[in-house]
Amino acid sequence: NKYEFQQGFTLAEVLITLGIIGVVAAMTIPTLMNNAKDSQYKTAYKKAYTTISQAFYAAKQNGDIIELTGTQSSQGMQTNFTALQSQFKVAKTCSNSDTQGCWDTTGERWRSESYTVDGFVDTSGMAWKIRRPDSDNMLPAILVDTNGTKKPNQYGKDRFALFFNNNNSGDPFTNI
């Protein structure tokens, strides 16, 4: 009796292997996707920071930036925000009575942030606004939503607060 043996895998072996691969993929793909999203948010923040810093230096060179005064350096923020805005290619401007289309007010709110302040959307789609200008006990800040009104609208993900440095450290903003 001669038996011919064919080498190969049985159907059961193939199914078990595919099952293991499926389980491993199901466990790792969500982690990889989250890491990619986090990387995307970090890159968007760096781009926003670079963009606003360049606008600050250009406005300062033009003599449009004034020194902030008052409690917590809160006086003069509106003037500086207008000077910064002039350095952008603006797609849409919103006044303090109408922020519709510039800032999604249904997103996460930050501290005592006022949603009726000036803002704009630049041509890259980033939304910019100031936080309650010229009020005592409030550090002057520029708020940015790096992807405009698209979700998730959460601080630390696609929204950031950039606080003005008024200490001549060379760096115009800080992220607290």
Side-chain angles (χ1 to χ4, degrees):
N1 280 339
K2 280 189 166 178
Y3 291 101
E4 285 189 34
F5 290 102
Q6 292 183 339
Q7 291 185 347
F9 297 105
T10 65
L11 180 60
E13 291 171 330
V14 171
L15 291 176
I16 288 170
T17 303
L18 288 175
I20 291 171
I21 291 171
V23 168
V24 170
M27 291 177 7
T28 58
I29 287 176
T31 302
L32 292 174
M33 295 299 287
N34 285 341
N35 289 344
K37 281 281 188 198
D38 287 345
S39 176
Q40 179 184 6
Y41 294 141
K42 288 176 187 175
T43 301
Y45 168 73
K46 289 176 184 177
K47 180 181 178 192
Y49 185 85
T50 300
T51 302
I52 196 70
S53 294
Q54 289 173 347
F56 177 84
Y57 290 124
K60 187 172 185 175
Q61 191 168 14
N62 292 343
D64 298 333
I65 298 293
I66 63 171
E67 184 176 344
L68 300 175
T69 60
T71 306
Q72 300 274 11
S73 299
S74 61
Q75 304 297 313
M77 181 63 198
Q78 179 67 49
T79 302
N80 286 348
F81 184 75
T82 303
L84 290 171
Q85 182 179 345
S86 70
Q87 300 300 315
F88 283 86
K89 292 181 181 175
V90 176
K92 180 174 175 106
T93 302
C94 296
S95 66
N96 64 5
S97 61
D98 180 22
T99 59
Q100 191 69 23
C102 283
W103 196 266
D104 183 6
T105 59
T106 62
E108 178 186 12
R109 295 185 180 199
W110 182 68
R111 296 184 189 168
S112 59
E113 179 184 343
S114 169
Y115 284 89
T116 57
V117 293
D118 290 348
F120 67 93
V121 178
D122 66 22
T123 54
S124 73
M126 289 189 192
W128 302 87
K129 66 182 277 187
I130 53 177
R131 178 184 78 165
R132 279 174 71 196
D134 301 331
S135 61
D136 290 338
N137 301 319
M138 299 292 286
L139 289 171
I142 293 180
L143 308 176
V144 60
D145 192 329
T146 58
N147 62 358
T149 58
K150 296 177 190 166
K151 301 293 181 202
N153 292 335
Q154 293 178 345
Y155 282 92
K157 291 208 176 225
D158 65 334
R159 285 186 174 178
F160 301 95
L162 301 168
F163 295 89
F164 269 97
N165 277 338
N166 208 20
N167 56 11
N168 296 323
S169 67
D171 202 8
F173 300 99
T174 184
N175 188 354
I176 294 177

